[in-house]
Amino acid sequence: MGQKRGNDSKPQAVESKKRKKGSKLGLTSSDGAWDGSVDVDQLNWKEVALPDRMADVGGFFGLEEIDDVEIIRPNGKGEVQFKAKAGKPKNSILKDPSKEPVTHEEWDGFSNDESNEQPTTSDKSAEPEPARDSSFKAGLSFAALEDDADDDGMDVSAWDKLGLSPNVLTGLSKMKFSTPTTVQKSCIPAILEGHDVVGKASTGSGKTLAFGIPILEYYLEKRPTEEDSKEKKPSSPMALILSPTRELAHQLAKHIGDLRDNSPGLDARIALLTGGLSIQKQQRQLANADIVVGTPGRVWEILSSGQGLIRKMQRVQFLVVDEADRLLSEGHFKEVEEIIGALDRQEHNDFPDVEEEAAAEDDLSSRQTLVFSATFHRDLQQKLAGKGRWTTGDLMDKKESMEYLLKKLNFREEKPKFIDVNPVQQMAEGLKEGIVECPAMEKDLYLYSLLLYHPKHRTLVFTNSISAVRRLTQLLQTLQMPALALHSSMAQKARLRSVERFSSPKSDPSSILVATDVAARGLDIKGIDCVVHYHAPRTADAYVHRSGRTARAGAVGKSIIICAPDEVVSVARLAAKVHASNPNVSAKKLPLQSIDIDRRVVSRVRPRINLAKKITESNIAKEKVSAEENWLREAADDLGVDYDSEEFDESQGKGRGRGGGRHQREKKASSITKGELASLRAELKQLLSQRVNIGVSERYLTAGRVDIEALLRGEGNEAFLGNLDPLKF
Ligand SMILES: Nc1ncnc2c1ncn2[C@@H]1O[C@H](COP(=O)(O)OP(=O)(O)OP(=O)(O)O)[C@@H](O)[C@H]1O
């Protein structure tokens, strides 16, 4: 049974017990006045600016600098103190970089693999920020609500039953979230009551705020008092939120940060701990954070660096495991286990006095564990049972998921609440699923045709490999389509640019993002109308998450699988698994609509595709050959031998070893001359300048059967000329 979290604050004695340890920060002179010296963490550090060309470099370059600081050596020995020359800052609190709202600039890209992450310097040191608004008291903010009544806020009475503070309601109103989503309605009260919660709800259903709101409410209730601030009592983070990828961590921090920024009196400081940022800076952010969001690799790296951080983190009141099936699987499992183990470990000599130890035990016993995902797959079960391999990606039912989560996570309650908002339906309600069947070698042609049918649709195309992302992006760009690439071996700045360009409201409404599964989870981009699986997803949960990038937050969207004949059976099996728990769906009648693309369109655009493929293959082969040659030349230089490209080509071309044929094809593609390439381009340009002509002859045009005026006005699908049935999907 969950221990109900009362609305009253803990008795003062317990509060002060928790924060008993004296502050070592600013020093005071004999008359008790602050003498201007501060701890190194409290100085107003700024990141060292780098020239643009070095923007993707990190590590050592994550240095920060500071001006106008006097270094004092009180007793002439090793000990140093710092004094900001500018004098005493406002409210005696110097700027704390972790308190700045998380901005887009701080984001440094995507990666599944934290260990391979490149540090970056893309985050900017913040402007000086206001100190905590300690005059603002929770529960006394009706005035704030009234003040804002005439801005463009919304009626939020639908949230009334959830018992939220006026502060958070104001924030929700400003964000125009008039109604809680189902997962929010079900999870928020349970979390506010103090329960451990496992929440399962479809993609895009608002899970972030389902746990984010109770955390902010807890902050309002327990935030440090004015007194604490004056005494500069060190605080501990209240929540640790773990996320499997950097972009998700960023999004979570941003989403919760947005609500904080819109809610009067809410000034919780959020630290973002992901690879790619200077670790020293993150350690400093952590020192003052109220909410910590991070990826397991970096969180563990920082916690295990000592400095009493584990002890500090043991006091978190909320441990959130987002995208739990992914986080408790694959590469992250070990680090998550380490983190959870460290949070639970209680060693007696950890605490300098009995009172502190008692307070820590108190915190530990009241810690809530919150676990969220849209899917819980069977591999998690296998892995937890010690059977190792990740294979099927099949989805687990409620009982199985619970059993295995219970084994691994140290829930405070014997029976955490499992809130499954969509027990029968894995997919978002507004999602339409379709399948396009085509010959295995003609996927490019069918993808292009599909895209022509969907002008002004923001489309996300998933492939199963990085090389396919590279090739397809170039192919579509050659066909003058606004395509962008996203995969984990791109430089971080380039990844950021791709997502920003794709998601910007100002971008071309026909934008296409070609991506690997690095974009499958959590990416919350408004207005993705269509998800295309160029390669069929390998697992049922991948299908759910990829498709979940569209039809988010009650919107509608389409998910289309392009499928070769020999893939049809496995794709149908995959869809059957996803819909298995839906009694309204039978294996014989899956909600996977077959889409027929007009054969005339396909045959008319084939010459475009053939030309574009030739150009793209030639470009890619040229890039590859030149990279290979550079490498061989360098290797030959190192070995002190002569590199003879012809001799090397001969040895490759005789079919010795694997890949000889491919090498020959690449060589051939790369040998297209500049002149030939230019004429291919000119030919393609000519084809692209004409609309795809369907059943229209000049006679037909002059007979007036096509409304040329309407076409010129941009009505209908401008890609096509003639009578064309719309795609029935
Ligand atoms: N109550 C609400 N009303 C309207 N929109 C909301 C509400 N709550 C959240 N949203 C919006 O819904 C979108 C999806 O939310 P969120 O990213 O939390 O979904 P999710 O369930 O975590 O998805 P995924 O499983 O794909 O990670 C966000 O853009 C968010 O701003």
Side-chain angles (χ1 to χ4, degrees), residues 672-700:
I672 294 183
T673 64
K674 271 191 186 164
E676 285 166 330
L677 208 53
S679 89
L680 289 176
R681 282 190 190 284
E683 208 181 321
L684 180 62
K685 196 172 169 200
Q686 165 68 15
L687 284 181
L688 292 173
S689 68
Q690 298 159 2
R691 290 201 178 102
V692 180
N693 193 333
I694 310 292
V696 185
S697 67
E698 268 177 47
R699 197 152 44 86
Y700 187 93

Side-chain angles (χ1 to χ4, degrees), residues 12 18 35 45 98 122 148 163 284 291 355 377-378 402 441 461 467 472 486 556 668 683:
Q12 205 58 44
K18 277 197 206 172
D35 74 349
W45 292 96
S98 67
S122 62
D148 290 333
R284 279 203 306 280
I291 298 170
E355 277 187 351
H377 62 73
R378 272 178 208 280
M402 212 45 214
M441 301 304 288
V461 179
S467 59
L472 273 182
L486 183 68
V556 292
K668 195 171 159 214
E683 208 181 321

Side-chain angles (χ1 to χ4, degrees), residues 159 172 175-181 183-184 201-211 248 251-252 255 322-323 373-374 520-524 526 545 548-549 552-553:
W159 292 83
L172 292 167
M175 290 174 82
K176 304 204 176 357
F177 290 169
S178 62
T179 319
T181 64
V183 66
Q184 292 162 358
S202 51
T203 49
S205 60
K207 292 186 285 294
T208 311
L209 290 188
F211 60 80
L248 256 176
Q251 244 172 236
L252 296 173
H255 201 14
D322 195 26
E323 302 286 347
S373 187
R521 283 205 187 226
L523 201 64
D524 182 48
K526 299 251 171 332
H545 287 278
R549 296 317 100 207
R552 295 176 71 75

Side-chain angles (χ1 to χ4, degrees), residues 182-303:
T182 316
V183 66
Q184 292 162 358
K185 241 183 264 171
S186 342
C187 293
I188 291 173
I191 301 173
L192 288 176
E193 278 174 18
H195 292 289
D196 288 336
V197 167
V198 179
K200 178 171 163 282
S202 51
T203 49
S205 60
K207 292 186 285 294
T208 311
L209 290 188
F211 60 80
I213 289 174
I215 291 173
L216 292 177
E217 287 289 352
Y218 181 84
Y219 172 79
L220 274 173
E221 199 184 303
K222 305 282 175 167
R223 65 187 160 171
T225 60
E226 202 173 345
E227 201 85 325
D228 293 332
S229 299
K230 263 191 201 153
E231 291 174 29
K232 300 200 196 80
K233 287 184 177 168
S235 57
S236 316
M238 295 174 175
L240 170 62
I241 303 171
L242 295 176
S243 141
T245 60
R246 282 192 215 173
E247 90 277 12
L248 256 176
H250 170 88
Q251 244 172 236
L252 296 173
K254 173 143 187 358
H255 201 14
I256 297 171
D258 282 349
L259 180 57
R260 169 203 60 189
D261 295 343
N262 281 295
S263 306
L266 246 173
D267 54 357
R269 294 163 299 191
I270 302 175
L272 188 55
L273 308 190
T274 64
L277 291 170
S278 131
I279 202 160
Q280 291 81 359
K281 184 175 174 184
Q282 291 179 350
Q283 277 164 341
R284 279 203 306 280
Q285 289 189 340
L286 187 58
N288 297 296
D290 300 303
I291 298 170
V292 179
V293 185
T295 44
R298 179 51 70 91
V299 169
W300 181 237
E301 193 181 350
I302 291 185
L303 291 194

Side-chain angles (χ1 to χ4, degrees), residues 48 54 86 91 122 137 188 195 202 207 236 257 306 312 353 379 418 466 484 497 514 520 564 632 656 662 680 704:
V48 176
M54 293 175 75
N91 290 346
S122 62
K137 293 274 178 291
I188 291 173
H195 292 289
S202 51
K207 292 186 285 294
S236 316
K312 206 169 160 123
D353 62 44
D379 284 345
F418 190 108
I466 292 174
L484 298 154
R497 248 191 329 265
V514 186
L632 285 168
R656 273 191 256 141
R662 182 176 46 82
L680 289 176

Side-chain angles (χ1 to χ4, degrees), residues 25-325:
L25 308 177
L27 303 175
T28 48
S29 61
S30 53
D31 62 357
W34 183 66
D35 74 349
S37 56
V38 292
D39 186 80
V40 65
D41 287 347
Q42 290 199 301
L43 293 168
N44 196 9
W45 292 96
K46 289 200 182 68
E47 192 152 293
V48 176
L50 289 177
D52 251 11
R53 70 193 154 77
M54 293 175 75
D56 289 327
V57 187
F60 180 72
F61 295 102
L63 278 176
E64 291 170 293
E65 63 184 355
I66 191 157
D67 295 325
D68 292 335
V69 173
E70 203 180 316
I71 298 175
I72 309 162
R73 295 180 195 275
N75 41 25
K77 292 191 185 147
E79 190 195 337
V80 287
Q81 288 165 3
F82 305 91
K83 196 166 178 174
K85 283 186 185 165
K88 185 175 177 175
K90 199 178 156 199
N91 290 346
S92 301
I93 298 176
L94 280 170
K95 184 213 156 270
D96 158 18
S98 67
K99 210 182 141 199
E100 61 183 291
V102 181
T103 60
H104 237 65
E105 286 93 68
E106 270 210 332
W107 186 41
D108 53 283
F110 293 73
S111 175
N112 280 332
D113 181 2
E114 289 298 311
S115 58
N116 289 335
E117 284 170 351
Q118 300 279 317
T120 179
T121 56
S122 62
D123 60 319
K124 302 228 179 350
S125 218
E127 296 300 308
E129 59 171 19
R132 270 183 211 281
D133 177 5
S134 47
S135 63
F136 205 98
K137 293 274 178 291
L140 295 178
S141 44
F142 288 101
L145 255 185
E146 278 161 23
D147 286 349
D148 290 333
D150 58 359
D151 78 358
D152 53 355
M154 280 202 128
D155 172 15
V156 285
S157 51
W159 292 83
D160 280 354
K161 282 195 186 139
L162 305 193
L164 304 183
S165 63
N167 315 49
V168 168
L169 287 175
T170 304
L172 292 167
S173 161
K174 283 191 185 166
M175 290 174 82
K176 304 204 176 357
F177 290 169
S178 62
T179 319
T181 64
T182 316
V183 66
Q184 292 162 358
K185 241 183 264 171
S186 342
C187 293
I188 291 173
I191 301 173
L192 288 176
E193 278 174 18
H195 292 289
D196 288 336
V197 167
V198 179
K200 178 171 163 282
S202 51
T203 49
S205 60
K207 292 186 285 294
T208 311
L209 290 188
F211 60 80
I213 289 174
I215 291 173
L216 292 177
E217 287 289 352
Y218 181 84
Y219 172 79
L220 274 173
E221 199 184 303
K222 305 282 175 167
R223 65 187 160 171
T225 60
E226 202 173 345
E227 201 85 325
D228 293 332
S229 299
K230 263 191 201 153
E231 291 174 29
K232 300 200 196 80
K233 287 184 177 168
S235 57
S236 316
M238 295 174 175
L240 170 62
I241 303 171
L242 295 176
S243 141
T245 60
R246 282 192 215 173
E247 90 277 12
L248 256 176
H250 170 88
Q251 244 172 236
L252 296 173
K254 173 143 187 358
H255 201 14
I256 297 171
D258 282 349
L259 180 57
R260 169 203 60 189
D261 295 343
N262 281 295
S263 306
L266 246 173
D267 54 357
R269 294 163 299 191
I270 302 175
L272 188 55
L273 308 190
T274 64
L277 291 170
S278 131
I279 202 160
Q280 291 81 359
K281 184 175 174 184
Q282 291 179 350
Q283 277 164 341
R284 279 203 306 280
Q285 289 189 340
L286 187 58
N288 297 296
D290 300 303
I291 298 170
V292 179
V293 185
T295 44
R298 179 51 70 91
V299 169
W300 181 237
E301 193 181 350
I302 291 185
L303 291 194
S304 56
S305 69
Q307 306 169 35
L309 290 174
I310 291 180
R311 198 162 74 208
K312 206 169 160 123
M313 290 305 286
Q314 282 179 336
R315 296 188 163 176
V316 294
Q317 288 300 309
F318 298 94
L319 170 66
V320 182
V321 186
D322 195 26
E323 302 286 347
D325 54 341

